[in-house]
Amino acid sequence: MTLTSSTTALGGSSQQVQKRMTGADALMDALRRNGVEIIFGYPGGAILPIYDAVYKAEQQGWLKHILVRHEQGGAHAADGYARATGRVGVCFGTSGPGATNLVTGIATAQMDSVPMVVITGQVPRPCIGTDAFQETDIFGITLPIVKHSWVVRDPGDLASVVAQAFFIAASGRPGPVLIDIPKDVGQEEFDYQPVEPGSVVPAGFHRFPAPELSSIEAALDLIDDAQRPLLYVGGGVISAGAHESLKGFAERHQIPVTTTLMGKGAFDERHPLALGMLGMHGTAYANFAVTECDLLIAVGARFDDRVTGKLDTFAPRARVIHFEIDPAEVAKNRRPDVAVLGDVGVSLVKLFDLSKQKSVELRTSAWLTRIESWKNLYPLMTPPEEGPIYPQEVLLAIRDLAPEAYITTDVGQHQMWAAQYLRNGPRQWISSAGLGTMGFGMPAAIGVQVALPDEQVVCIAGDSSILMNIQELGTLIEYNIPAKIVIVNNHWQGMVRQWQQSFYEDRYSATDMLPGMPDFVALAKAFRVGGVLITERKDLRSSLKQALATPGPMLIDVHVRRDENCYPMVPPGKSNAQMVGLSNHPELSGVSL
């Protein structure tokens, strides 16, 4: 973290003739050189010089600025943009409350390893530290939740800082970086000299080494000897674009694959080897498999508590291989027998190539038969066609009607049902996993749709989560962003209610949303966004189909049965095999099947 830019040249800065300009104009030129075409943001006093430069950039035609209605919406939109494209997302906010409103979005990106550059305005340099109007130490506030950050005190540093910021955000394990720019730095004129992308990095930055061949050979030896191997795949495979190598290796060795919430899309869930998601609300067969496997091959995953359940019972019979780019994640929660450090994409390619150099003696036939029996015994629930609409029906309908859509979600029961029932390709599942940020879904959908205007984008929201950033309906309509928002509406804070029912003896404290529930369709129409209400099963598929096909943004409010719980569920402190909600499985039995 730096208050001024201290750099180490790699390839040298551009040798173009210096040109006199303001810091704000220099910032915009540096962003253009780093490939920025879209910025999500909200203006304010301290960042006004930069927004004046934004105006000129838009007039020149190379930049599109998306005005969000709240800075948190801007951070989530930049996050969605980055997850869908693999490019660095960019958002702006002013000083003080504008900057602090970005904090939740920054933390969301940090937890889920999303590349993002956040630029904040700051009070003028002489005012820093005086408690000036709208002064907040955003540099200090965000230290634990960024990869790197700067307060730029010299406009001459801007070009170098921006080049470093994009390099750091996208390198290694991706993540957010912050650039805080005092107002007078944006106003000051100086002799600007461009810095080309990738030509400078901060002093002390270390490039990740290539994975060691000896580690890959040791991993392959364990895989060849295993009879019950399991691939446990996280978001690192998505970030690395390693899904093809993963698929090829899994098929060659006939190894079943389970994914985390972040890893959805890394492996085709329609594939015979796919087990879907594991963990607290994972499929029963994925959780049984991880409990019974003799080799766990973790690829770009971090052994999160929502995956492992009671840690000392997670994969208790298994040796562990961990493919990981971040050394801090290795042995943090589970010590591996073999660790392969380096870019997961490079590691999987080398593993697959090494595998193809020798014959494979398949040992997993009995293991796959056992897993298939679990799939038959404990499938995900097929909702009955009686009474109020089941929330699972809504997701099944969307799966059929929008099979190729990019999906964003808010956080709660609807998120878990979406993870269980939807099938997504790489980068088509966009959900706040690590931080669990309510209000993420709609602004993230804005970012995805702006990035990919020709793709179908559907946000799966809850009636509580959607209210966290409902103001972004204004952004949808201003730019005619055709994302579709589907509210799975049970009039509760559904996941919290489920926990209160399960663990707090039905004491429903502050979770009933019905008394203050708005008419979402009327609210959408107040923003001039199209809306449709669905309350009857007979209308579900036809109304959804029509709404999804309607041009422009749409809000679809689907009223579902109020008290439906999300199962299977691993209770806190229990092993993954001790799931509740399985009709044929004794609750908390812990038996080995």
Side-chain angles (χ1 to χ4, degrees):
M1 311 300 174
T2 51
L3 293 173
T4 57
S5 62
S6 174
T7 64
T8 300
L10 292 183
S13 61
S14 169
Q15 299 303 309
Q16 297 181 30
V17 177
Q18 294 178 344
K19 181 179 179 182
R20 195 152 186 87
M21 63 176 66
T22 66
D25 288 329
L27 171 69
M28 299 313 296
D29 183 73
L31 292 174
R32 180 182 60 82
R33 290 173 184 274
N34 281 274
V36 175
E37 298 173 344
I38 304 289
I39 293 171
F40 305 91
Y42 199 99
I47 203 171
L48 274 182
I50 292 172
Y51 267 85
D52 191 51
V54 167
Y55 178 88
K56 289 181 278 187
E58 288 199 290
Q59 292 297 305
Q60 293 164 5
W62 65 266
L63 179 70
K64 178 70 173 178
H65 178 274
I66 303 296
L67 172 63
V68 293
R69 268 50 185 177
H70 189 285
E71 289 88 354
Q72 186 183 129
H76 293 330
D79 182 314
Y81 175 99
R83 294 191 202 219
T85 63
R87 300 175 62 188
V88 178
V90 181
C91 60
F92 282 3
T94 195
S95 66
T100 58
N101 282 344
L102 291 164
V103 168
T104 297
I106 296 170
T108 300
Q110 174 74 351
M111 287 287 281
D112 288 352
S113 304
V114 178
M116 194 160 76
V117 170
V118 180
I119 296 175
T120 52
Q122 185 54 274
V123 299
R125 286 168 290 186
C127 297
I128 293 176
T130 68
D131 292 332
F133 177 68
Q134 292 194 332
E135 180 189 0
T136 298
D137 179 11
I138 195 63
F139 175 90
I141 288 170
T142 58
L143 279 174
I145 55 171
V146 295
K147 284 187 72 176
H148 201 81
S149 54
W150 296 261
V151 178
V152 181
R153 296 183 181 269
D154 182 344
D157 291 332
L158 277 166
S160 172
V161 165
V162 170
Q164 294 175 75
F166 278 81
F167 180 84
I168 293 169
S171 66
R173 180 178 181 174
V177 300
L178 174 80
I179 306 173
D180 195 36
I181 304 175
K183 184 174 183 178
D184 56 334
V185 170
Q187 294 169 319
E188 184 176 323
E189 288 194 351
F190 73 108
D191 292 327
Y192 170 64
Q193 182 168 326
V195 174
E196 294 306 318
S199 64
V200 290
V201 295
F205 181 88
H206 298 289
R207 293 183 181 275
F208 287 91
E212 294 182 359
L213 181 60
S214 60
S215 297
I216 295 174
E217 289 173 337
L220 190 58
D221 287 343
L222 286 182
I223 293 167
D224 286 342
D225 289 341
Q227 296 187 29
R228 301 188 307 278
L230 179 66
L231 277 157
Y232 153 48
V233 173
V237 172
I238 303 287
S239 297
H243 48 281
E244 290 296 340
S245 297
L246 172 71
K247 178 176 182 288
F249 186 81
E251 289 179 339
R252 177 171 172 78
H253 289 260
Q254 287 296 287
I255 300 175
V257 180
T258 183
T259 62
T260 67
L261 189 63
M262 281 295 298
K264 267 187 72 67
F267 192 79
D268 185 354
E269 290 179 283
R270 294 159 292 198
H271 195 287
L273 293 172
L275 304 186
M277 183 177 72
L278 81 164
M280 179 172 282
H281 290 287
T283 65
Y285 33 92
N287 283 336
F288 286 139
V290 79
T291 304
E292 296 294 326
C293 69
D294 65 0
L295 178 67
L296 187 68
I297 309 161
V299 188
R302 58 188 181 89
F303 294 84
D304 175 75
D305 63 291
R306 290 296 171 105
V307 164
T308 64
K310 187 179 180 182
L311 188 59
D312 60 7
T313 66
F314 181 69
R317 299 169 175 82
R319 304 184 78 177
V320 174
I321 301 168
H322 197 173
F323 289 86
E324 178 58 50
I325 195 169
D326 185 354
E329 292 295 346
V330 176
K332 185 176 79 174
N333 294 321
R334 176 68 178 262
R335 184 171 297 279
D337 296 273
V338 174
V340 182
L341 276 172
D343 185 290
V344 167
V346 175
S347 297
L348 284 183
V349 167
K350 289 187 175 182
L351 180 72
F352 195 18
D353 287 346
L354 188 62
S355 165
K356 288 185 286 189
Q357 292 174 16
K358 56 182 182 178
S359 61
V360 174
E361 182 182 347
L362 296 179
R363 300 169 178 262
T364 62
S365 175
W367 176 230
L368 294 176
T369 299
R370 192 176 188 186
I371 288 173
E372 191 63 28
S373 72
W374 289 332
K375 287 184 177 182
N376 293 329
L377 279 171
Y378 309 112
L380 290 171
M381 186 192 86
T382 301
E385 294 186 3
E386 58 187 26
I389 299 170
Y390 279 81
Q392 296 94 329
E393 289 180 82
V394 182
L395 280 310
L396 287 168
I398 291 169
R399 186 171 81 183
D400 292 342
L401 296 171
E404 303 301 323
Y406 282 71
I407 299 293
T408 72
T409 80
D410 275 319
V411 169
Q413 285 178 316
H414 63 278
Q415 177 192 31
M416 294 297 100
W417 283 314
Q420 290 174 341
Y421 287 91
L422 297 183
R423 307 288 181 257
N424 309 94
R427 296 198 177 277
Q428 290 182 279
W429 170 261
I430 292 130
S431 186
S432 173
L435 198 63
T437 305
M438 293 175 71
F440 174 83
M442 181 161 57
I446 289 171
V448 176
Q449 191 73 84
V450 169
L452 304 169
D454 297 327
E455 299 292 343
Q456 185 176 32
V457 179
V458 178
C459 168
I460 310 298
D463 52 276
S464 301
S465 283
I466 193 69
L467 289 170
M468 295 283 186
N469 277 309
I470 195 71
Q471 75 285 338
E472 298 309 326
L473 288 170
T475 306
L476 283 174
I477 198 62
E478 177 177 351
Y479 299 98
N480 195 31
I481 297 168
K484 306 300 187 282
I485 316 300
V486 180
I487 302 175
V488 182
N489 189 345
N490 59 12
H491 301 92
W492 285 103
Q493 294 168 34
M495 189 61 80
V496 184
R497 182 208 60 77
Q498 180 171 336
W499 278 56
Q500 288 174 334
Q501 176 187 335
S502 301
F503 310 119
Y504 295 90
E505 298 178 347
D506 297 335
R507 293 188 292 273
Y508 300 121
S509 175
T511 49
D512 187 353
M513 300 298 286
L514 185 58
M517 185 65 62
D519 180 336
F520 282 111
V521 172
L523 185 57
K525 290 181 178 177
F527 280 93
R528 302 187 306 282
V529 171
V532 60
L533 173 64
I534 303 173
T535 60
E536 301 293 334
R537 176 175 291 104
K538 62 182 176 59
D539 301 323
L540 177 61
R541 287 188 174 250
S542 59
S543 295
L544 266 177
K545 182 177 181 180
Q546 182 177 356
L548 292 172
T550 301
M554 283 287 292
L555 184 146
I556 304 141
D557 183 17
V558 187
H559 288 196
V560 299
R561 54 197 304 128
R562 288 204 74 194
D563 297 328
E564 180 69 10
N565 285 335
C566 185
Y567 293 126
M569 180 180 180
V570 178
K574 301 297 181 180
S575 80
N576 280 10
Q578 295 175 303
M579 289 166 280
V580 297
L582 299 182
S583 59
N584 297 321
H585 181 54
E587 291 188 357
L588 306 180
S589 69
V591 295
S592 175
L593 299 184

